[in-house]
Amino acid sequence: MSGGFDWLKLASAEAGKRNVLGGALLPCSVAPITGFFRDGCCNTGPEDIGLHVVCAEVSAEFLQFSKAAGNDLSTPRPEYGFAGLSPGDRWCLCAARWEEARRAGFAPPVLLEATHEAALQICSLDDLMAHALDAPA
């Protein structure tokens, strides 16, 4: 796990759209629409200081954990166009929040093919794979 994110590693457009398995980054969710850029994908860039790159299927336990940790994802915030998440929704989570939840025993399952490779700066591939909905055979 690295303390900082190496943006130079993701300088090319091609590298910026790869998933943690090395393939093309697939969409995470369009209902609700997710992603830092609200494009349905867990894309990232220099302005994404939270590194919203882990495509997760949120659970009730994770939503409770996140709320208790100071990030309420279940309450609607219409002023931001945010309807609030429900268990089963897919969402691009901050890599550090997913890792924090994992360490506390509340990590939601992830979609590896929709999780940006930048997540590997914070989360290990082994940990992501252990929580994968789409783990390779």
Side-chain angles (χ1 to χ4, degrees):
M1 193 160 96
S2 171
F5 183 74
D6 183 5
W7 288 106
L8 295 176
K9 182 178 177 186
L10 299 177
S12 75
E14 174 130 337
K17 298 183 189 231
R18 311 296 300 165
N19 65 43
V20 294
L21 300 174
L25 184 66
L26 299 182
C28 181
S29 176
V30 293
I33 190 73
T34 190
F36 180 78
F37 299 107
R38 293 300 187 260
D39 60 1
C41 292
C42 297
N43 288 313
T44 190
E47 55 277 291
D48 179 14
I49 59 172
L51 206 56
H52 297 78
V53 294
V54 176
C55 179
E57 189 171 286
V58 298
S59 62
E61 296 80 14
F62 171 77
L63 290 170
Q64 290 170 356
F65 170 81
S66 188
K67 185 174 183 177
N71 187 19
D72 182 359
L73 295 172
S74 55
T75 301
R77 298 292 305 263
E79 66 273 27
Y80 298 114
F82 180 67
L85 299 178
S86 298
D89 286 342
R90 293 183 176 175
W91 196 251
C92 294
L93 298 177
C94 294
R97 177 60 49 140
W98 186 88
E99 179 61 18
E100 179 184 19
R102 183 195 66 79
R103 290 178 182 202
F106 297 103
V110 299
L111 286 89
L112 298 172
E113 290 187 309
T115 296
H116 195 287
E117 69 180 350
L120 299 175
Q121 296 288 325
I122 306 287
C123 312
S124 80
L125 182 57
D126 287 343
D127 289 336
L128 291 167
M129 288 182 74
H131 291 84
L133 291 170
D134 60 343

